[in-house]
Amino acid sequence: MNRVVVVGSINVDLVVTADRLPRPGETVGGGQFSRHFGGKGANQAVAAARAGASVTMVGAVGRDADGDASLAALAAVGIDVSRVRRVDAPTGVAIIAVDRSGENQIVVASGANAEVSTEDGALRGLPDGPGVLLTCLEIPMPAVAAAVMAAPRIGLRSVLNPAPGQRLPADLLATGPILTPNRDELLATSGAADLEAALTSLATGGTQVVAVTLGSEGALLADGDRRVHFPGQPAEVVDATGAGDTFSGVLAAWIADGRSLDESVRAANAAAALKVTQPGARGGMPTRQQIEAALRG
């Protein structure tokens, strides 16, 4: 069974689409408003579920209407939400501005996501068996570290999306999680000045596998000393929000299904290109059948 356990954030996204993004201190009028479900963790869980994985979500939402709706949206795509705690803090909210080319600016109010604890990350009570742990940095670092450290105990291989980009603890890197940063997050995670120096630095720290998302340029897989570039797929970009989450979720689903790293990155790259053709963080996240069709085409 291709099991994926996601320990991460759950948000509601408030999105304004305008002709262009504002400069600091500037107001841009004429925008269109929409509301979507989001949070990097929840988005990645949805991407993995649509790609055919059996997904369990671990996180926290508020005791509010946004929390009710967020859990219902996850359950509707078959995700097990029994390990999502209800807390007194409000459900997380992201404020997103998107321009006509699909570029975005995002500000997040963590809310309940800040309540995800090391106890949540310890994964106690989950059954042993093969699969993938997928986590991100929109929850407290102690919870992320606890999950990555606990994953091998129950048979899970760790995939960490280091977003928002920041330095990672040495003991976490030493466990060798697969990292899925974009170019900026890669530099922030490693502290290096360029892509190759960053990959070398992370490999020295213990992380031998890094799948870097490069937007329209595709993706780069670094597996030890090996480098494989996967070209970008042609796509009419409507909204890039959630493309990285799609990549991470599909990568985890494919690895959990026993596919090779190269096969998994190729599928994730194709899925991200499909996602950007639709608005919203989860709009356009493809099904397994759509991903396989894109790979054949």
Side-chain angles (χ1 to χ4, degrees):
M1 181 174 64
N2 53 341
R3 177 172 67 146
V4 175
V5 177
V6 179
V7 180
S9 54
I10 303 170
N11 290 333
V12 171
D13 293 346
L14 306 180
V15 182
V16 175
T17 301
D19 287 335
R20 61 182 179 83
L21 298 176
R23 295 184 293 271
E26 180 186 21
T27 299
V28 174
Q32 295 182 326
F33 173 75
S34 58
R35 184 184 182 95
H36 305 274
F37 297 108
K40 297 193 72 64
N43 291 344
Q44 291 165 9
V46 170
R50 288 186 180 170
S54 174
V55 181
T56 297
M57 182 80 212
V58 179
V61 296
R63 307 179 196 277
D64 51 23
D66 283 341
D68 294 339
S70 294
L71 293 183
L74 293 173
V77 293
I79 295 170
D80 177 2
V81 297
S82 63
R83 297 180 69 92
V84 178
R85 289 192 297 115
R86 307 301 293 263
V87 299
D88 291 334
T91 299
V93 172
I95 310 297
I96 305 173
V98 182
D99 71 14
R100 296 300 178 188
S101 72
E103 291 300 318
N104 59 59
Q105 295 175 337
I106 305 174
V107 179
V108 176
S110 297
N113 296 309
E115 302 295 319
V116 180
S117 67
T118 56
E119 187 65 23
D120 297 314
L123 308 179
R124 293 187 180 90
L126 283 174
D128 293 353
V132 172
L133 166 78
L134 177 57
T135 188
C136 66
L137 303 184
E138 282 189 341
I139 57 174
M141 185 66 78
V144 172
V148 173
M149 300 295 184
R153 173 177 52 80
I154 59 172
L156 303 179
R157 185 173 188 181
S158 293
V159 175
L160 169 57
N161 177 224
Q166 57 187 281
R167 297 300 294 270
L168 298 174
D171 57 349
L172 189 156
L173 282 175
T175 67
I178 298 171
L179 299 183
T180 60
N182 64 26
R183 194 191 309 263
D184 291 339
E185 291 157 358
L186 174 67
L187 300 181
T189 298
S190 65
D194 62 70
L195 189 147
E196 189 56 41
L199 295 173
T200 300
S201 172
L202 291 171
T204 302
T207 293
Q208 296 294 316
V209 179
V210 184
V212 187
T213 57
L214 302 172
S216 62
E217 298 175 32
L220 174 68
L221 172 63
D223 181 9
D225 294 331
R226 188 170 68 98
R227 304 286 183 266
V228 183
H229 178 246
F230 298 84
Q233 305 293 310
E236 183 177 342
V237 179
V238 173
D239 185 357
T241 308
D245 296 334
T246 300
F247 183 95
S248 293
V250 172
L251 180 80
W254 243 248
I255 292 172
D257 198 35
R259 307 297 183 92
S260 69
L261 285 172
D262 287 33
E263 289 175 312
S264 300
V265 174
R266 185 175 292 109
N269 189 43
L274 291 170
K275 186 268 148 249
V276 301
T277 62
Q278 300 294 326
R282 299 181 193 171
M285 282 184 172
T287 64
R288 187 180 189 88
Q289 291 74 22
Q290 289 171 321
I291 297 167
E292 290 176 340
L295 292 172
R296 290 193 299 268

